[in-house]
Amino acid sequence: MNAYTGTADEHLDHDHGDHHGPAPGYLRWVTTTNHKDIGTLYLWFSLLMFFIGGAMALIIRAELFQPGLQIVDPHFFNQMTTMHALVMIFGVVMPAFVGLANWMLPMMVGAPDMALPRMNNWSFWILPFAFALMLATLFMEGGGPAAGWTLYPPLSLQGGDSLPFVIFSIHMLGASSIMGAINIIATIMNLRAPGMTYMKMPLFVWTWFITAYLLIAVMPVLAGAVTMLLTDAFFGTSFFNAAGGGDPVMFQHIFWFFGHPEVYILILPAFGLVSEIIPTFSRKPLFGYTSMVYATSSIAFLSFIVWAHHMFTVGMPLVGELFFMFTTMLIAVPTGVKVFNWVSTMWRGAMTFETPMLFALGFVVMFTIGGFSGLMLAMTPIDFQYHDTYFVVAHFHYVLVPGAVFGIIAGVYYWLPKWTGHHYNETLGKWHFWLSTVFVNLLFFPMHFVGLAGMPRRIPDYAVQFADFNAIATLGAFGFGFAQILLLVAVVQSILGGAKATGQVWDGTEITGGLEWTLSSPPPYHSFSPQPVVK
Amino acid sequence: MNPQPSVQSPAAARPAGARSPLRAVPASAGAALWSFLLATPARADWGLNLPRGVSEISREVYDMHMMVLYICIVIGIVVFGAMFISILKHRKSLGVKPATFSHSMTAEVIWTVIPFLILVAMAIPAAKALIKMEDASGHELTVKVTGHQWKWEYEYPGEGIRFFSNLGEASREARALNSGVDPFSVDNYLLEVDNPLVLPVGRKVRFLLTSSDVLHAWWVPDFAVKKDAIPGFIREMWTVIDAPGTYRGQCAELCGKDHGFMPIVVEAVAEDEFAAWVTAEQAAAAAEAGSADREWAFDELMERGQAVYNTACLACHQADGQGIPGVFPALDAGALTLAEHLQTVLNGKPGTAMQAFGAQLSDVDIAAVVTFERNAIGNDTGEALQPMEVKAAR
Amino acid sequence: MAHTADNIYYVPHTAKWPLIGSVGLTLLLGGFAAYLNGAAVGANLMWAGLAVMVVMLFGWFGTVVGESESGTYQSWEDKSFRIGMAWFIFSEVMFFAAFFGALFYARSLSVPWLLGEGSGATTHQFLWSAYTEFWPTNGPEDWGDSDFHMGWWPLPFINTVILLTSGLTVTWAHHGIKDGKRGPFILGLFLTVALGFLFVFLQAVEYKEAYHEGLKLTSGIYGSTFFMLTGFHGLHVTLGAIMLTVMLFRAIRGHFTPERHFAFEAAAWYWHFVDVVWLGLFLFVYIL
Ligand code: HEA
Ligand code: HEA
Ligand code: CUA
Ligand SMILES: [Cu+2]
């Protein structure tokens, strides 16, 4: 798609003080302004948080292995549910995407670095501190937040000492995300190589461009919502209290105005990754590039007007319920366009099945399954039956785990040789994929059944007729969790050594790839300075 | 489709005490899967799916659910089918040369328009059903349902009946952390209450739903009725039950520590049985009201107090009265005078989980529970409270 | 893209301030949280965090100003700053949107429901049958026991005039620097800053009056939305005025050229944003 024709003026390569290497020692990581270093930091942070959030999930699953309470008390269980979700969403998936963006966007658009390098450092370094504040609440008297990641009042206001810490932590996470998003927008708008028009940008760049707008639009709204929680709890306001003229449901509207676009923030970059990977390993250009861009934009636009599908059971006026049902169902159209485009890209290609491709294919199938259950949830009258049951849990884990997380893993395998200069161990990668796929379905598929049969979510103990499927899900959870250790092994091995990777890495990148493949593997510390020119 | 409504709740489907085959081999994934695969057809009563339920609406919802499910399955077969054909046939190892096409206007228009039409076809019945569900007019009985942490309160404004519905005692004992009681040995584990809601069949019942503290949600799958209970607001919903029977549900909105332990049980009975129940309840309430005017003996108060404590207070302040540090305080009678104690119980502590029990419990109950708390669970003040004193303090 | 390869994008080598900023932010917010929970160390941590933040801001902006004055930034970098500032302001707009959303929701939905309109019929009948008070309201339980309504006359109106005027003076200053006239530039900036602080002062007077009349943050939904919106706005005016003050001092020290004065422009954009938000407030909080 993007023909690379060398730098604009090869001999203008004068030294502007830019060709320095990284700072020595640990200071390199603390003070770095380099997009690759910061990308690396984000990705390691995300992996660490994945193990923490996953350990919490395993506590949840262990308690749910059998009916009866065996391991934790209900209050702690609720803390685990809440924290698991906050960690996975804000600590794993979002940072992983930002990490991938940091590493790849400048290389894909032919930029020297991110547009605002110092702020880039701050975006990252806020994260560990914010999570320190949040996780510290688990060790306070009364424990961490236990009202679910949605923080609905009035229950969240009973949160005790944890409440203000969690709120401020969310403020910090929001600030980090907004700065990260601004950086991405500025990089894309200002630092593209000459000749790289918007409609020549790789799709990962496009999806991130749109995601960044979503972030800037909704993270402040979340900040506003939790600020009102804070004042209701500590300063006597009555936003969410009917006695003073407010309404608890008002919080839900504001929260989901953030929350629904948020779930697309968690999936759009994965769409981009898959749209890079499938053409490469099909050795065929992406089908329907333009419609992919329009579909992504439509999804983003629609995401702002569907929020109340999370609150069908709060008793909105009928027109509201109808409106949100119709708009929500509509999202299936642009999403379908994406799925059909992926399948058409494979059609009559010459496919090979390296690990990134396997994860991308797994993504397409299992995300679509999650999308189907989403569509079922979108239908208000039936959602009355599904809402707040494990059917919902099954839905969102399908789009989030074999969806977003598989997308991230696919991206990591895809670019790992580019980053380290070494191929990872393909056999290990394939094992990782197959174990993950088998166990993830064992883990989440039975949740559809228990949900339909009537098991509510967010409960530490359940009636005995749900026992068998819960036992299976728990076995799947431990299997899936331990399979992820293979990812760690594959990454570490590839850092330490392995078969040398060429700049092209995969043979399919010749037909389809972006500018990142024109650089050596590993690429130089400073990507494109001066910039290449795209014809 | 089977026109006969299932009168049995899912919980009753497996005989009490029946052990799950899985429990014998909990550690082995292989065995678990195996027994699952072998057992599936024979154990349809397990519940893999929504119940068809016992109301016109619930059956409509069920049919719609199945329709959407089938549509998704068909689309899935088409999409995944095309994908797997590619995977099998269009692979490099078979020596294919990749095609180079990258767009087709016709194809894209088709797969935009067809899904859209499918969605329209799905949205029409959904909208119709929704309009019906939101119309509670013409109701023939009103029940006010109030959620509390963690129990339901039912009030029949027209009949002057009001009572609380708590988790059944057997379940309550079995659900404690490491209680040593096997949940499989408990009838309707976690789905049993002390006082079920009693409703007549065939009448349009309107529920007025609200909450006294946090959000709850009242849900009975067999009626396809679920709505959030919101403090300070009332939501309406309705049902017409077709067949007598016991129908079970659970609170469906996270409401704190014991969200998993506030089930709903509805006894649907014939009209005459319902009338008899109403009369009996009214008589019992009158008798109870009378008992508040007499002097109660200490032991009598303690015994009643224990029962009240177990249903109303134990969930937070715990069986030993020690609470949960940082969340629920220990009940240390030394720190409170009798009058303060009574005021706390009557009026609660606004802004905390401590509710105003004056609105929930009778004078006798309050006198009993305060007496109990001051002379048990680690306290020994010797002080007692009479129902008449409670009445005076209100 | 207009730039060519002789225009190498400036990438600073290292940055120490972000980490210090993170530590400061954590101390500030963690301390505040501890303070809210009644912990004795809370306030101390908070002030320490604030001090670190102030040092960080001076250090960071100091570095950037130094770089800017030494000509490190060309139009290419400048464009990144512009994009960054524009979208930062947009994020602030969305922050306000949350609070405006609360106001609209309460006025047009939750309060009418409590009064029995629409789907609120049974709510009113069974729970709040004595409640009759339309906006402004402190809720069915009469929170804070005050019905005081802050009218748009005189203080808010005067403040509107002040802010609008300050919008003009800052534009005047902008024309000054663009034409290379330092006099009008500095004077315009000075007037803007003065008007900004005057606005904040009058807002404080208004708050005092409100509290005197019994209208507090705790006066139900009217008090909540009133103080949240005006308070959050007042905070932004203060921030904007501080930014402009910094620009004023830089202007006096001879910074900025007719071609390159983005820092000033950024502050001016921010000021216009604060201005526009105020017009929304004036309309929706005071007049309607
Ligand atoms: C990555 C995250 C992600 C994604 C992408 C989605 C995608 C969708 N979600 Fe999901 N959702 C969540 C994350 C996500 N969701 C989370 C986290 C929750 C729970 C939050 C909480 O309560 O804690 C949730 C909850 C949730 C609910 C609320 C349920 C409830 O609480 O009662 C609803 C209801 O409408 C819903 C709907 C949808 C729909 C319609 C889509 C659509 O975008 C799906 C579109 C895709 C397809 C439909 C498949 C592909 C399409 C085709 C092959 C075309 C042809 C198809 C047809 C015409 C049928 N979601
Ligand atoms: C991106 C988001 C994301 C991801 C990746 C996951 C991943 C997982 N989730 Fe997720 N989950 C949510 C988002 C996510 N979840 C959300 C939003 C909710 C709703 C919360 C709410 O209701 O408020 C939720 C709720 C939720 C519930 C319902 C809880 C309840 O309602 O009470 C359950 C229950 O099974 C569950 C399980 C799991 C499991 C088993 C995984 C697994 O995929 C995790 C696998 C990973 C690991 C296990 C880590 C690696 C493991 C090891 C290295 C093993 C060794 C380590 C140790 C044992 C220390 N999650
Ligand atoms: Cu009550 Cu959950
Ligand atoms: Cu959603």
Side-chain angles (χ1 to χ4, degrees):
Chain A
M1 181 180 49
N2 303 305
Y4 167 70
T5 57
T7 56
D9 199 348
E10 309 268 318
H11 40 260
L12 250 171
D13 194 19
H14 63 160
D15 197 339
H16 194 73
D18 282 59
H19 295 274
H20 64 97
Y26 76 92
L27 264 186
R28 163 177 180 185
W29 301 105
V30 174
T31 62
T32 184
T33 52
N34 180 277
H35 72 98
K36 301 191 185 76
D37 286 353
I38 294 175
T40 305
L41 285 171
Y42 265 112
L43 288 168
W44 279 115
F45 178 77
S46 161
L47 190 63
L48 173 72
M49 294 306 278
F50 183 55
F51 287 141
I52 295 177
M56 292 172 177
L58 293 185
I59 295 174
I60 295 174
R61 283 314 325 167
E63 179 55 63
L64 293 174
F65 183 54
Q66 292 179 0
L69 290 175
Q70 294 88 15
I71 302 170
V72 296
D73 71 75
H75 185 60
F76 187 72
F77 182 93
N78 290 346
Q79 295 171 38
M80 286 295 104
T81 299
T82 308
M83 280 288 194
H84 157 69
L86 290 172
V87 167
M88 286 296 194
I89 289 175
F90 294 104
V92 179
V93 175
M94 290 167 71
F97 282 144
V98 182
L100 289 169
N102 256 297
W103 248 104
M104 300 315 299
L105 289 194
M107 289 174 21
M108 294 173 105
V109 301
D113 204 298
M114 295 292 280
L116 302 159
R118 285 199 189 96
M119 195 171 83
N120 202 15
N121 176 303
W122 206 23
S123 308
F124 171 75
W125 276 106
I126 285 180
L127 280 185
F129 287 90
F131 273 101
L133 275 190
M134 188 185 283
L135 292 171
T137 60
L138 284 175
F139 303 99
M140 293 174 185
E141 204 187 48
W149 81 283
T150 48
L151 301 171
Y152 283 1
L155 182 63
S156 59
L157 301 177
Q158 293 181 357
D161 285 358
S162 68
L163 183 68
F165 287 98
V166 173
I167 288 174
F168 290 139
S169 163
I170 289 175
H171 281 134
M172 289 170 74
L173 294 170
S176 157
S177 295
I178 291 168
M179 286 192 278
I182 288 176
N183 223 329
I184 284 167
I185 291 178
T187 307
I188 294 174
M189 290 178 73
N190 196 26
L191 265 57
R192 273 172 296 127
M196 175 164 291
T197 57
Y198 280 111
M199 289 314 269
K200 279 186 186 168
M201 294 194 310
L203 261 175
F204 181 60
V205 181
W206 253 116
T207 52
W208 239 121
F209 194 36
I210 292 167
T211 306
Y213 285 111
L214 289 182
L215 277 169
I216 296 183
V218 301
M219 292 309 289
V221 176
L222 173 66
V226 296
T227 303
M228 288 185 264
L229 274 188
L230 186 82
T231 58
D232 264 18
F234 294 98
F235 299 98
T237 56
S238 58
F239 291 107
F240 311 132
N241 190 328
D247 184 351
V249 175
M250 186 206 300
F251 177 86
Q252 302 184 17
H253 282 288
I254 302 173
F255 179 89
W256 288 115
F257 184 83
F258 144 81
H260 187 81
E262 169 70 16
V263 308
Y264 292 105
I265 289 167
L266 299 175
I267 204 71
L268 292 185
F271 286 171
L273 291 165
V274 169
S275 307
E276 300 292 327
I277 293 168
I278 290 181
T280 298
F281 296 98
S282 304
R283 289 165 188 74
K284 188 163 155 283
L286 180 70
F287 188 88
Y289 174 90
T290 319
S291 65
M292 282 298 206
V293 173
Y294 288 125
T296 312
S297 315
S298 319
I299 295 173
F301 168 74
L302 286 173
S303 77
F304 285 106
I305 52 167
V306 301
W307 74 87
H309 65 221
H310 294 272
M311 346 169 7
F312 282 144
T313 63
V314 299
M316 272 178 289
L318 180 65
V319 275
E321 284 177 336
L322 289 171
F323 173 81
F324 288 110
M325 171 168 79
F326 297 149
T327 50
T328 304
M329 292 173 74
L330 216 50
I331 295 195
V333 175
T335 317
V337 167
K338 304 203 75 128
V339 172
F340 300 136
N341 281 344
W342 291 323
V343 173
S344 308
T345 306
M346 293 174 224
W347 191 255
R348 294 184 46 215
M351 285 202 266
T352 52
F353 302 94
E354 288 86 348
T355 310
M357 183 62 161
L358 289 176
F359 274 99
L361 295 175
F363 172 96
V364 174
V365 173
M366 289 182 271
F367 167 80
T368 304
I369 293 176
F372 286 151
S373 57
L375 193 73
M376 297 170 78
L377 293 166
M379 307 203 22
T380 317
I382 345 181
D383 180 68
F384 290 159
Q385 290 284 51
Y386 305 141
H387 177 71
D388 256 318
T389 68
Y390 262 80
F391 190 77
V392 178
V393 179
H395 156 65
F396 67 73
H397 281 98
Y398 262 89
V399 282
L400 284 169
V401 184
V405 173
F406 268 37
I408 292 165
I409 294 175
V412 168
Y413 278 113
Y414 186 51
W415 284 316
L416 196 56
K418 166 91 349 197
W419 298 337
T420 66
H422 305 290
H423 278 281
Y424 57 88
N425 180 338
E426 195 61 61
T427 319
L428 192 68
K430 291 207 162 95
W431 270 101
H432 179 212
F433 169 75
W434 285 110
L435 288 177
S436 296
T437 301
V438 168
F439 282 120
V440 89
N441 284 292
L442 217 51
L443 164 56
F444 294 121
F445 209 78
M447 289 186 184
H448 291 112
F449 299 135
V450 282
L452 292 175
M455 177 167 163
R457 60 192 279 209
R458 296 167 164 173
I459 58 173
D461 190 6
Y462 48 84
V464 293
Q465 71 265 32
F466 308 129
D468 298 338
F469 284 130
N470 271 294
I472 295 171
T474 298
L475 294 172
F478 278 83
F480 180 74
F482 284 101
Q484 303 319 308
I485 295 174
L486 299 186
L487 173 66
L488 184 64
V489 175
V491 170
V492 171
Q493 275 186 352
S494 150
I495 292 173
L496 297 180
K500 286 256 174 295
T502 62
Q504 286 282 352
V505 183
W506 314 103
D507 55 0
T509 56
E510 279 169 24
I511 322 160
T512 58
L515 292 174
E516 76 268 32
W517 307 111
T518 63
L519 293 170
S520 59
S521 299
Y525 194 60
H526 289 280
S527 304
F528 287 105
S529 188
Q531 290 191 294
V533 173
V534 177
K535 263 211 296 230
Chain B
M1 306 245 155
N2 180 3
Q4 208 173 317
S6 97
V7 275
Q8 258 196 335
S9 77
R14 178 155 36 201
R19 296 185 65 94
S20 146
L22 269 187
R23 280 173 41 90
V25 280
S28 154
L33 249 188
W34 191 233
S35 65
F36 166 62
L37 291 175
L38 280 184
T40 306
R43 302 156 110 242
D45 59 341
W46 258 19
L48 289 167
N49 202 350
L50 288 182
R52 281 200 87 221
V54 291
S55 71
E56 187 196 326
I57 293 283
S58 78
R59 285 187 294 273
E60 223 170 277
V61 164
Y62 176 86
D63 293 343
M64 217 175 333
H65 156 75
M66 292 314 286
M67 170 190 79
V68 185
L69 183 63
Y70 288 134
I71 291 177
C72 287
I73 289 174
V74 170
I75 297 176
I77 289 173
V78 173
V79 175
F80 301 149
M83 193 172 146
F84 281 108
I85 291 174
S86 282
I87 290 178
L88 292 177
K89 296 216 158 143
H90 309 148
R91 47 167 70 211
K92 195 180 169 204
S93 54
L94 297 177
V96 289
K97 280 201 95 55
T100 52
F101 65 86
S102 69
H103 48 263
S104 152
M105 198 55 169
T106 333
E108 304 210 22
V109 170
I110 290 176
W111 66 50
T112 309
V113 172
I114 291 185
F116 180 78
L117 295 178
I118 297 175
L119 292 173
V120 172
M122 284 159 51
I124 291 170
K128 281 189 184 149
L130 191 61
I131 291 167
K132 220 186 306 180
M133 291 166 100
E134 293 298 324
D135 178 12
S137 59
H139 53 270
E140 298 147 296
L141 175 69
T142 295
V143 181
K144 184 159 173 261
V145 181
T146 309
H148 303 274
Q149 281 175 318
W150 292 280
K151 56 190 170 259
W152 292 99
E153 175 189 351
Y154 297 113
E155 187 182 349
Y156 299 67
E159 287 69 21
I161 300 173
R162 190 179 85 119
F163 59 90
F164 285 83
S165 182
N166 296 282
L167 180 68
E169 197 176 339
S171 295
R172 193 179 72 224
E173 276 157 19
R175 62 150 274 214
L177 184 58
N178 292 315
S179 65
V181 184
D182 181 358
F184 287 90
S185 70
V186 178
D187 276 350
N188 295 315
Y189 177 60
L190 297 187
L191 294 175
E192 194 64 277
V193 296
D194 52 0
N195 304 307
L197 175 65
V198 179
L199 293 176
V201 296
R203 265 208 254 177
K204 184 164 185 177
V205 183
R206 175 178 70 152
F207 301 98
L208 298 176
L209 185 61
T210 187
S211 161
S212 71
D213 37 46
V214 301
L215 303 173
H216 303 266
W218 198 85
W219 177 36
V220 178
D222 281 303
F223 309 159
V225 160
K226 181 190 287 153
K227 213 155 242 179
D228 292 1
I230 298 158
F233 290 88
I234 285 188
R235 299 293 192 236
E236 285 178 67
M237 53 196 185
W238 65 272
T239 190
V240 181
I241 309 169
D242 286 348
T246 306
Y247 307 108
R248 295 170 203 277
Q250 279 176 272
C251 177
E253 181 66 61
L254 181 60
C255 52
K257 182 172 76 69
D258 283 357
H259 159 61
F261 308 98
M262 50 184 294
I264 293 147
V265 178
V266 178
E267 295 282 359
V269 297
E271 237 358 294
D272 50 344
E273 247 179 282
F274 180 70
W277 176 81
V278 168
T279 322
E281 281 295 308
Q282 285 165 339
E288 170 73 25
S291 71
D293 299 331
R294 69 175 171 84
E295 187 88 6
W296 281 58
F298 183 76
D299 288 346
E300 227 183 340
L301 283 171
M302 287 296 283
E303 195 186 324
R304 173 86 169 237
Q306 167 94 63
V308 176
Y309 185 85
N310 286 351
T311 51
C313 323
L314 177 141
C316 295
H317 296 290
Q318 305 296 303
D320 55 3
Q322 289 309 300
I324 298 176
V327 191
F328 305 116
L331 293 176
D332 176 6
L336 292 167
T337 66
L338 182 63
E340 285 166 356
H341 198 149
L342 175 59
Q343 283 309 320
T344 310
V345 179
L346 277 177
N347 304 322
K349 296 256 183 161
T352 74
M354 180 62 198
Q355 307 151 21
F357 285 96
Q360 300 182 17
L361 301 176
S362 69
D363 295 345
V364 177
D365 286 341
I366 290 179
V369 78
V370 171
T371 307
F372 172 78
E373 282 179 354
R374 298 189 75 77
N375 296 288
I377 50 172
N379 297 315
D380 188 14
T381 61
E383 292 163 317
L385 199 63
Q386 285 299 326
M388 267 142 15
E389 295 172 74
V390 177
K391 191 184 243 169
R394 277 185 191 263
Chain C
M1 244 133 293
H3 54 270
T4 50
D6 68 272
N7 189 351
I8 300 277
Y9 196 80
Y10 174 67
V11 178
H13 298 179
T14 56
K16 64 171 184 258
W17 295 112
L19 185 76
I20 296 172
S22 302
V23 173
L25 200 58
T26 309
L27 283 176
L28 177 68
L29 294 177
F32 189 27
Y35 166 78
L36 289 174
N37 285 334
V41 290
N44 295 333
L45 289 177
M46 200 167 107
W47 294 123
L50 191 65
V52 176
M53 288 297 284
V54 169
V55 171
M56 182 277 285
L57 287 173
F58 268 96
W60 191 328
F61 283 115
T63 314
V64 175
V65 169
E67 284 169 356
S68 171
E69 288 302 310
S70 62
T72 311
Y73 303 140
Q74 300 301 322
S75 59
W76 199 9
E77 289 84 2
D78 197 62
K79 193 174 168 202
S80 292
F81 297 152
R82 283 167 195 275
I83 296 170
M85 189 67 195
W87 290 106
F88 167 66
I89 289 178
F90 175 68
S91 79
E92 291 268 48
V93 169
M94 293 309 291
F95 209 148
F96 272 101
F99 299 130
F100 272 109
L103 175 70
F104 297 149
Y105 183 92
R107 287 190 64 163
S108 47
L109 296 171
S110 70
V111 169
W113 284 332
L114 291 168
L115 287 162
E117 280 175 30
S119 59
T122 43
T123 298
H124 184 69
Q125 181 190 344
F126 284 87
L127 300 177
W128 313 111
S129 51
Y131 179 51
T132 54
E133 180 185 58
F134 277 99
W135 199 261
T137 176
N138 53 0
E141 277 186 5
D142 202 19
W143 277 34
D145 197 21
S146 151
D147 294 328
F148 182 71
H149 181 212
M150 187 58 80
W152 61 274
W153 181 263
L155 274 184
F157 181 75
I158 296 173
N159 259 348
T160 309
V161 175
I162 289 177
L163 265 197
L164 287 178
T165 316
S166 76
L168 293 180
T169 54
V170 81
T171 307
W172 185 50
H174 193 191
H175 282 294
I177 183 70
K178 277 206 287 200
D179 299 345
K181 295 187 202 134
R182 255 175 207 279
F185 178 46
I186 293 179
L187 184 62
L189 257 175
F190 174 77
L191 287 175
T192 313
V193 169
L195 288 168
F197 283 114
L198 182 62
F199 175 94
V200 176
F201 172 73
L202 289 180
Q203 183 90 30
V205 173
E206 186 193 328
Y207 276 17
K208 199 166 158 246
E209 185 191 327
Y211 265 74
H212 186 72
E213 297 288 341
L215 176 65
K216 305 194 173 105
L217 198 55
T218 49
S219 307
I221 190 68
Y222 174 63
S224 303
T225 49
F226 175 82
F227 283 107
M228 186 61 109
L229 276 161
T230 55
F232 198 58
H233 176 263
L235 195 73
H236 280 76
V237 177
T238 313
L239 275 177
I242 292 174
M243 285 187 207
L244 288 170
T245 311
V246 173
M247 297 310 142
L248 178 62
F249 283 119
R250 287 184 62 188
I252 292 171
R253 288 176 70 184
H255 289 190
F256 305 125
T257 66
E259 293 76 36
R260 291 195 310 106
H261 45 261
F262 175 66
F264 162 74
E265 276 182 281
W269 288 356
Y270 197 78
W271 195 250
H272 287 306
F273 145 71
V274 167
D275 216 353
V276 171
V277 171
W278 174 260
L279 291 180
L281 277 176
F282 188 61
L283 184 65
F284 292 113
V285 176
Y286 291 99
I287 294 186
L288 293 179

